[in-house]
């Protein structure tokens, strides 16, 4: 059985760094990133966000990595921004309208909806119900 570490601490049993918890579909989920900028995919168009976040069969022992939601990135900025490229924007998978999607600027924490024709970084995350551990 795994014990939840402090925020921004390594959680090897769950494949990375614990960046906090949030509600997903009414349940508390823990959110983990695989590590630092070495796990970023750079210059990714929005059309490939989901694809690149799930690339490969396994990452740090898990195969359920996904593209982050807007809320995941906001949690990452608040709790673990030192693990991100602070001169860069990161895509979320959260869309807003026909040609817009949410991205977070890790320099200042601003969250914007931006046209999908831009290319930004993508960092996979995994989430799982707190009750699962």
């Amino acid at each position: 059985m795994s014990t939840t570490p402090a925020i921004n601490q390594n959680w090897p049993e769950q494949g990375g760094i614990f960046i906090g918890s949030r509600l997903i579909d009414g349940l508390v989920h823990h959110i983990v990133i695989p590590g630092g900028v070495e796990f970023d995919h750079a210059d990714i168009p929005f059309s490939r966000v989901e694809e690149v976040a799930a690339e490969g069969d396994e990452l740090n022992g898990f195969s359920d990595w996904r593209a982050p939601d807007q809320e995941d990135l906001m949690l990452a900025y608040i709790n673990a921004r030192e693990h991100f490229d602070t001169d860069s924007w990161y895509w979320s998978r959260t869309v807003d309208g026909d040609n817009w999607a949410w991205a977070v600027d890790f320099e200042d924490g601003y969250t914007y909806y931006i046209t999908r024709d831009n290319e930004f970084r993508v960092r996979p995350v995994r989430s799982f119900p707190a009750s699962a551990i």
Side-chain angles (χ1 to χ4, degrees), residues 59-119:
L59 178 60
N60 294 349
F62 293 89
S63 59
D64 59 349
W65 298 92
R66 62 171 174 79
D69 293 326
Q70 176 188 7
E71 294 88 351
D72 296 326
L73 288 178
M74 294 166 68
L75 195 65
Y77 178 80
I78 292 166
N79 291 331
R81 73 176 153 250
E82 65 272 15
H83 299 290
F84 289 77
D85 182 341
T86 56
D87 290 328
S88 294
W89 288 76
Y90 284 79
W91 277 124
S92 80
R93 67 183 184 169
T94 308
V95 297
D96 185 7
D98 291 335
N99 194 40
W100 303 90
W102 289 94
V104 174
D105 180 352
F106 269 75
E107 181 176 358
D108 54 25
Y110 289 135
T111 303
Y112 299 99
Y113 60 95
I114 296 178
T115 63
R116 297 181 192 182
D117 57 355
N118 289 288
E119 293 184 353

